[in-house]
mmCIF file of all heavy atoms in Angstrom:
data_model
loop_
_atom_site.group_PDB
_atom_site.id
_atom_site.type_symbol
_atom_site.label_atom_id
_atom_site.label_comp_id
_atom_site.label_asym_id
_atom_site.label_seq_id
_atom_site.Cartn_x
_atom_site.Cartn_y
_atom_site.Cartn_z
ATOM 1 N N ASN A 13 -13.193 -94.712 -33.963
ATOM 2 C CA ASN A 13 -12.135 -94.888 -34.966
ATOM 3 C C ASN A 13 -10.744 -94.535 -34.430
ATOM 4 O O ASN A 13 -9.934 -93.946 -35.126
ATOM 5 C CB ASN A 13 -12.477 -94.061 -36.204
ATOM 6 C CG ASN A 13 -11.766 -94.556 -37.442
ATOM 7 O OD1 ASN A 13 -11.226 -95.659 -37.456
ATOM 8 N ND2 ASN A 13 -11.759 -93.753 -38.478
ATOM 9 N N GLY A 14 -10.486 -94.877 -33.177
ATOM 10 C CA GLY A 14 -9.174 -94.630 -32.598
ATOM 11 C C GLY A 14 -8.996 -93.257 -31.981
ATOM 12 O O GLY A 14 -7.956 -92.959 -31.404
ATOM 13 N N ALA A 68 -3.204 -88.522 -25.511
ATOM 14 C CA ALA A 68 -2.060 -88.651 -26.426
ATOM 15 C C ALA A 68 -2.535 -89.085 -27.809
ATOM 16 O O ALA A 68 -3.336 -89.999 -27.949
ATOM 17 C CB ALA A 68 -1.065 -89.661 -25.880
ATOM 18 N N GLY A 69 -2.053 -88.415 -28.841
ATOM 19 C CA GLY A 69 -2.359 -88.783 -30.216
ATOM 20 C C GLY A 69 -3.596 -88.125 -30.778
ATOM 21 O O GLY A 69 -3.900 -88.298 -31.953
ATOM 22 N N GLU A 72 -3.247 -83.623 -32.687
ATOM 23 C CA GLU A 72 -2.862 -83.315 -34.067
ATOM 24 C C GLU A 72 -4.037 -83.313 -35.031
ATOM 25 O O GLU A 72 -3.963 -82.741 -36.115
ATOM 26 C CB GLU A 72 -1.822 -84.327 -34.578
ATOM 27 C CG GLU A 72 -0.541 -84.363 -33.793
ATOM 28 C CD GLU A 72 -0.599 -85.277 -32.583
ATOM 29 O OE1 GLU A 72 -1.424 -86.211 -32.568
ATOM 30 O OE2 GLU A 72 0.161 -85.034 -31.647
ATOM 31 N N PHE A 73 -5.138 -83.968 -34.666
ATOM 32 C CA PHE A 73 -6.236 -84.148 -35.618
ATOM 33 C C PHE A 73 -7.359 -83.141 -35.460
ATOM 34 O O PHE A 73 -8.294 -83.142 -36.257
ATOM 35 C CB PHE A 73 -6.786 -85.569 -35.503
ATOM 36 C CG PHE A 73 -5.737 -86.593 -35.768
ATOM 37 C CD1 PHE A 73 -5.262 -87.399 -34.747
ATOM 38 C CD2 PHE A 73 -5.182 -86.732 -37.027
ATOM 39 C CE1 PHE A 73 -4.276 -88.329 -34.983
ATOM 40 C CE2 PHE A 73 -4.190 -87.651 -37.267
ATOM 41 C CZ PHE A 73 -3.738 -88.447 -36.240
ATOM 42 N N ALA A 80 -7.910 -86.712 -44.361
ATOM 43 C CA ALA A 80 -6.540 -86.565 -43.865
ATOM 44 C C ALA A 80 -6.275 -87.556 -42.733
ATOM 45 O O ALA A 80 -5.192 -88.151 -42.660
ATOM 46 C CB ALA A 80 -6.305 -85.134 -43.370
ATOM 47 N N TYR A 81 -7.272 -87.758 -41.872
ATOM 48 C CA TYR A 81 -7.119 -88.716 -40.773
ATOM 49 C C TYR A 81 -6.979 -90.141 -41.319
ATOM 50 O O TYR A 81 -6.119 -90.903 -40.869
ATOM 51 C CB TYR A 81 -8.305 -88.628 -39.808
ATOM 52 C CG TYR A 81 -8.246 -89.637 -38.697
ATOM 53 C CD1 TYR A 81 -7.240 -89.589 -37.742
ATOM 54 C CD2 TYR A 81 -9.189 -90.651 -38.600
ATOM 55 C CE1 TYR A 81 -7.163 -90.521 -36.722
ATOM 56 C CE2 TYR A 81 -9.125 -91.585 -37.587
ATOM 57 C CZ TYR A 81 -8.121 -91.512 -36.646
ATOM 58 O OH TYR A 81 -8.054 -92.446 -35.650
ATOM 59 N N ASP A 82 -7.789 -90.503 -42.308
ATOM 60 C CA ASP A 82 -7.703 -91.838 -42.910
ATOM 61 C C ASP A 82 -6.353 -92.059 -43.596
ATOM 62 O O ASP A 82 -5.775 -93.145 -43.500
ATOM 63 C CB ASP A 82 -8.841 -92.064 -43.907
ATOM 64 C CG ASP A 82 -10.183 -92.276 -43.211
ATOM 65 O OD1 ASP A 82 -10.181 -92.645 -42.009
ATOM 66 O OD2 ASP A 82 -11.230 -92.071 -43.866
ATOM 67 N N GLU A 83 -5.842 -91.022 -44.277
ATOM 68 C CA GLU A 83 -4.525 -91.125 -44.917
ATOM 69 C C GLU A 83 -3.435 -91.339 -43.863
ATOM 70 O O GLU A 83 -2.530 -92.146 -44.059
ATOM 71 C CB GLU A 83 -4.230 -89.867 -45.731
ATOM 72 C CG GLU A 83 -5.025 -89.766 -47.012
ATOM 73 C CD GLU A 83 -4.834 -88.429 -47.719
ATOM 74 O OE1 GLU A 83 -4.037 -87.582 -47.236
ATOM 75 O OE2 GLU A 83 -5.482 -88.229 -48.767
ATOM 76 N N PHE A 84 -3.542 -90.619 -42.758
ATOM 77 C CA PHE A 84 -2.569 -90.773 -41.675
ATOM 78 C C PHE A 84 -2.595 -92.204 -41.140
ATOM 79 O O PHE A 84 -1.548 -92.817 -40.948
ATOM 80 C CB PHE A 84 -2.858 -89.780 -40.546
ATOM 81 C CG PHE A 84 -2.061 -90.048 -39.309
ATOM 82 C CD1 PHE A 84 -0.743 -89.616 -39.219
ATOM 83 C CD2 PHE A 84 -2.599 -90.756 -38.242
ATOM 84 C CE1 PHE A 84 0.012 -89.880 -38.083
ATOM 85 C CE2 PHE A 84 -1.853 -91.020 -37.117
ATOM 86 C CZ PHE A 84 -0.544 -90.578 -37.034
ATOM 87 N N LYS A 85 -3.782 -92.730 -40.890
ATOM 88 C CA LYS A 85 -3.900 -94.087 -40.363
ATOM 89 C C LYS A 85 -3.325 -95.112 -41.337
ATOM 90 O O LYS A 85 -2.665 -96.065 -40.930
ATOM 91 C CB LYS A 85 -5.364 -94.421 -40.062
ATOM 92 C CG LYS A 85 -5.852 -93.841 -38.756
ATOM 93 C CD LYS A 85 -7.268 -94.237 -38.449
ATOM 94 C CE LYS A 85 -7.341 -95.709 -38.177
ATOM 95 N NZ LYS A 85 -8.672 -96.169 -37.751
ATOM 96 N N GLU A 86 -3.557 -94.904 -42.634
ATOM 97 C CA GLU A 86 -3.037 -95.825 -43.651
ATOM 98 C C GLU A 86 -1.509 -95.788 -43.691
ATOM 99 O O GLU A 86 -0.855 -96.832 -43.733
ATOM 100 C CB GLU A 86 -3.616 -95.449 -45.022
ATOM 101 C CG GLU A 86 -3.610 -96.559 -46.029
ATOM 102 C CD GLU A 86 -4.390 -97.780 -45.566
ATOM 103 O OE1 GLU A 86 -5.464 -97.650 -44.965
ATOM 104 O OE2 GLU A 86 -3.875 -98.898 -45.811
ATOM 105 N N LYS A 87 -0.936 -94.584 -43.660
ATOM 106 C CA LYS A 87 0.534 -94.455 -43.648
ATOM 107 C C LYS A 87 1.125 -95.059 -42.387
ATOM 108 O O LYS A 87 2.192 -95.684 -42.429
ATOM 109 C CB LYS A 87 0.938 -92.983 -43.764
ATOM 110 C CG LYS A 87 0.735 -92.414 -45.155
ATOM 111 C CD LYS A 87 1.127 -90.958 -45.222
ATOM 112 C CE LYS A 87 0.828 -90.380 -46.589
ATOM 113 N NZ LYS A 87 1.130 -88.948 -46.646
ATOM 114 N N LYS A 88 0.435 -94.899 -41.264
ATOM 115 C CA LYS A 88 0.907 -95.460 -40.000
ATOM 116 C C LYS A 88 0.929 -96.990 -40.078
ATOM 117 O O LYS A 88 1.884 -97.625 -39.633
ATOM 118 C CB LYS A 88 0.001 -94.996 -38.860
ATOM 119 C CG LYS A 88 0.462 -95.435 -37.493
ATOM 120 C CD LYS A 88 -0.461 -94.883 -36.419
ATOM 121 C CE LYS A 88 -0.072 -95.392 -35.055
ATOM 122 N NZ LYS A 88 -0.987 -94.910 -34.017
ATOM 123 N N LYS A 89 -0.109 -97.587 -40.672
ATOM 124 C CA LYS A 89 -0.147 -99.049 -40.833
ATOM 125 C C LYS A 89 1.007 -99.532 -41.701
ATOM 126 O O LYS A 89 1.656 -100.527 -41.387
ATOM 127 C CB LYS A 89 -1.467 -99.485 -41.473
ATOM 128 C CG LYS A 89 -2.636 -99.526 -40.547
ATOM 129 C CD LYS A 89 -3.866 -99.999 -41.284
ATOM 130 C CE LYS A 89 -5.108 -99.881 -40.437
ATOM 131 N NZ LYS A 89 -6.320 -100.267 -41.181
ATOM 132 N N GLU A 90 1.263 -98.818 -42.808
ATOM 133 C CA GLU A 90 2.370 -99.193 -43.693
ATOM 134 C C GLU A 90 3.706 -99.093 -42.967
ATOM 135 O O GLU A 90 4.556 -99.978 -43.090
ATOM 136 C CB GLU A 90 2.376 -98.284 -44.924
ATOM 137 C CG GLU A 90 1.240 -98.518 -45.884
ATOM 138 C CD GLU A 90 1.190 -97.481 -47.001
ATOM 139 O OE1 GLU A 90 2.174 -96.718 -47.168
ATOM 140 O OE2 GLU A 90 0.173 -97.437 -47.710
ATOM 141 N N LEU A 91 3.891 -98.034 -42.209
ATOM 142 C CA LEU A 91 5.134 -97.830 -41.468
ATOM 143 C C LEU A 91 5.330 -98.936 -40.425
ATOM 144 O O LEU A 91 6.436 -99.467 -40.286
ATOM 145 C CB LEU A 91 5.128 -96.460 -40.791
ATOM 146 C CG LEU A 91 6.402 -96.055 -40.068
ATOM 147 C CD1 LEU A 91 7.558 -95.933 -41.054
ATOM 148 C CD2 LEU A 91 6.190 -94.730 -39.348
ATOM 149 N N ILE A 92 4.266 -99.296 -39.733
ATOM 150 C CA ILE A 92 4.351 -100.373 -38.738
ATOM 151 C C ILE A 92 4.716 -101.682 -39.411
ATOM 152 O O ILE A 92 5.550 -102.446 -38.912
ATOM 153 C CB ILE A 92 3.020 -100.489 -37.954
ATOM 154 C CG1 ILE A 92 2.869 -99.290 -37.020
ATOM 155 C CG2 ILE A 92 2.942 -101.795 -37.183
ATOM 156 C CD1 ILE A 92 1.512 -99.190 -36.355
ATOM 157 N N LYS A 93 4.132 -101.939 -40.584
ATOM 158 C CA LYS A 93 4.435 -103.170 -41.316
ATOM 159 C C LYS A 93 5.897 -103.197 -41.766
ATOM 160 O O LYS A 93 6.575 -104.218 -41.645
ATOM 161 C CB LYS A 93 3.516 -103.271 -42.542
ATOM 162 C CG LYS A 93 3.355 -104.671 -43.076
ATOM 163 C CD LYS A 93 2.408 -104.708 -44.256
ATOM 164 C CE LYS A 93 0.993 -104.568 -43.780
ATOM 165 N NZ LYS A 93 0.000 -104.747 -44.851
ATOM 166 N N GLU A 94 6.396 -102.052 -42.271
ATOM 167 C CA GLU A 94 7.802 -101.961 -42.697
ATOM 168 C C GLU A 94 8.741 -102.181 -41.511
ATOM 169 O O GLU A 94 9.734 -102.906 -41.622
ATOM 170 C CB GLU A 94 8.080 -100.590 -43.314
ATOM 171 C CG GLU A 94 7.480 -100.386 -44.681
ATOM 172 C CD GLU A 94 7.663 -98.956 -45.169
ATOM 173 O OE1 GLU A 94 8.439 -98.188 -44.554
ATOM 174 O OE2 GLU A 94 7.019 -98.602 -46.175
ATOM 175 N N LYS A 95 8.440 -101.533 -40.385
ATOM 176 C CA LYS A 95 9.298 -101.659 -39.201
ATOM 177 C C LYS A 95 9.264 -103.084 -38.657
ATOM 178 O O LYS A 95 10.277 -103.579 -38.168
ATOM 179 C CB LYS A 95 8.884 -100.665 -38.113
ATOM 180 C CG LYS A 95 9.139 -99.225 -38.503
ATOM 181 C CD LYS A 95 10.604 -98.982 -38.776
ATOM 182 C CE LYS A 95 10.859 -97.594 -39.269
ATOM 183 N NZ LYS A 95 12.229 -97.382 -39.694
ATOM 184 N N ALA A 96 8.126 -103.744 -38.744
ATOM 185 C CA ALA A 96 8.034 -105.132 -38.288
ATOM 186 C C ALA A 96 8.912 -106.023 -39.167
ATOM 187 O O ALA A 96 9.592 -106.934 -38.664
ATOM 188 C CB ALA A 96 6.587 -105.610 -38.322
#
Side-chain angles (χ1 to χ4, degrees):
N13 201 14
E72 300 86 24
F73 301 111
Y81 177 65
D82 287 339
E83 287 173 3
F84 170 81
K85 281 183 67 175
E86 202 58 40
K87 286 179 184 177
K88 184 178 176 182
K89 282 181 188 177
E90 290 173 13
L91 185 64
I92 289 171
K93 202 178 285 187
E94 287 174 12
K95 293 300 175 187

